[in-house]
Every structure is written in structure tokens, then in C-alpha cells.
Amino acid sequence: MPYVVAGGLRFHVQHLGAGSPVVMVHGLFTGSAASWYLGAAPVLARRHHVVCYDQRGHGLSDRPERGYDLATLAGDLDALTGDLEPFALVGHSYGGVVALRFAVDRPGRVTRLVLVDSFTPAEGDPIPGVSDATAHAGAISWTDVVNKAIRSRRPRRKSAAVALADSTSLVADIRVAGQITDDELASIAVPVMCIAGESSPFGDAVAALAHKLPGAHTVTIPGGHALTVEGGEMLDRLLVEYCDV
Amino acid sequence: MAAHTDTAPGQAGEAAWTQDAILAAVATLVGEVIGEDYLEGIPITMATSFADDIEMESIEFVALAERVRERFGDKVDFIGWLAEMELDEIMGLTVGQLVGMILACLTS
């Protein structure tokens, strides 16, 4: 299996295809490299070198107890993509926030951004409805949609998400406000496409983030928050068109 | 792939892969990915469903894809195959569909 050690942790990293690079970051808790690998990544890989990885605590990567603040998650992304030429960067949910932090910290390394139903905390406030987000993600997780794993004899996926929430600092870390400021968001100079799920419970927060990004345009497509599951061909096509320039 | 003890047609370039040989190889890879303990009592046949029978998780399917790529080489275009399918199709796959794709790639 393709593993890379960074910062003392082992990360699962997948490379698909060849061409100009596209890096894809999944959302928290029930997300993993599979969110992209079994969705848009193979389609993009027809013309791009696609990199998708399991963020710390997720999928087949190590799950440390601490270190889930935004700067550290963006640092992981930096460490795992250091040998790439400047790339298009795609993030789902909080993976999009990680992408934004990276774009602020490493402005020369990102050519364009795609945020898929992503939102940031309002200034001074915790992330809106983080517990709701967790519950929502759990309610429409892969396992629930297709695997019925919650009543599985092998409920490992569910327990991994629960372990993340219960046994690591992730929830506390992402609740810390001010990890990316409005001024920093306004400084992002590359084009940004925001893709919103028309029935996402985070619609207002998604729109508010897009409003803070000077280079952003928003496309709304059918589906809820879990667009890597629900976005289907429409999401694939948007990503291909945006990354193929 | 020294860990494999099953026969490996095609590796020396002489024997051709058969459906049965590919099925046996895929069953070995599935066992490696999800753990033999979890497979106990579940026969891996052409009709076995990854989702319903093995209850394979999405990240495990990625791990299986990786092992198929390692085991069968670049001739098997797993990524191109995935690109043609929607998510619900991927999760509805049977072992037989995967075996059939591998066989088609190796004999084309």
C-alpha cells in the first residue's frame, strides 16, 4: 500500500493518472481518500495526475490523539504534496477549509480552488452546528447509504468516526475560532469555484464563505452536504471542466 | 508479492490467466484487505457482493483496488473502470464483475 511518513505519522496517499496535478482533500469523520477515489478522482485521472489521501485520523492513515487544528491539517497537505508542481486543489466540507488555509499559507502552490459544500466559522464563533454536521455526516455516511454497516457485524467504519470524535482532540480543535480570518480569505488571489448542495443544511454558511472570497463563483447542484456521494456525474463534470483549463 | 502462495499464471509469461485463477487471486486479496477473521464462513464466489455479503467499506475497496493493481499490473485499468461507474454501481459490484473485468483486460 502507498504510505508516506510525514511529521512522524503514516499517511495513506493514492496517485491516479497523469497530467497536470489535482489534489483532493476529503471531509472529516466519515470521509477518506475513498470519498474521491470512488467518485470524481478516476474521471479527473483521465487527464490529470490526481492525488487523494487520508487526512490524519481518517481511513488508513494514523490516528493521533491530538493535532487536528487547521494549521496542522494544512501542514499535512503541504508535507504530502511538496514534490508537486502548482496544482488545482479540491476540498469537500472541512477539506475545503484545509485547502483554503493551505492556499493562504502557500499562495504560489495552488492554481485554482474548488470548495465542495465548505464553510468556515464566523468570526468569534465556533463552527456552526459542528455536532449537527457530525450527526448529518453519520446519517448519510457511505455505510448507511450502501453498506448498512451500522447494523453490520463489522462496524469498523462507524467506530472509526466515533473514535475520532470521542478519543481525539478533533472536535475541540476545529471548534477553535479564528483559524482562518476574513482578511486571509480576501487575500486568496486564485479562482475559486464553490459547489453547493441545494439541500445542504449548511447553505447559508456555504454562501457566506463564497461571499468572502474575491475570486469565487458558486454553482448549486442537486444533493445535500455529502456531495462526494450524491453529486454524481454533475459533480464530476464541473470538476473536469474547471480543472481542464 | 512473495507472500502469495497461490499459483500465479501469467507472471512468467507462459500460462494464461483463467477465470478460476483470477477468482482465487481476488479472494486472497479480499482476505488480505478485510482480514481473514472477518471472512470466516463467507465463501468468495463470482456471485459474492462486496457490499451485501462481505460488507466491504469504501476505504477497503480502495485498498483492494491498490492490491489488484499491484497483483495484475498496468494491463488491468482499474481506475479507468471505476471512472465509468457511478458510486451506487461500484457499491453494487460483485466479485464476478471484478474478475470479469480483470480477465477481459488480461486477455485483450
Side-chain angles (χ1 to χ4, degrees), chain B residues 30-74:
Chain B
V30 168
E32 288 174 6
V33 165
I34 72 175
E36 294 291 348
D37 290 352
Y38 291 110
L39 266 186
E40 199 166 3
I42 305 174
I44 303 291
T45 71
M46 294 292 276
T48 301
S49 158
F50 288 108
D52 292 338
D53 298 325
I54 312 176
E55 299 186 349
M56 183 169 268
E57 298 165 5
S58 57
I59 193 66
E60 292 173 330
F61 198 78
V62 175
L64 178 65
E66 176 70 22
R67 284 169 192 266
V68 167
R69 292 167 76 186
E70 286 175 359
R71 185 74 173 83
F72 295 99
D74 291 340

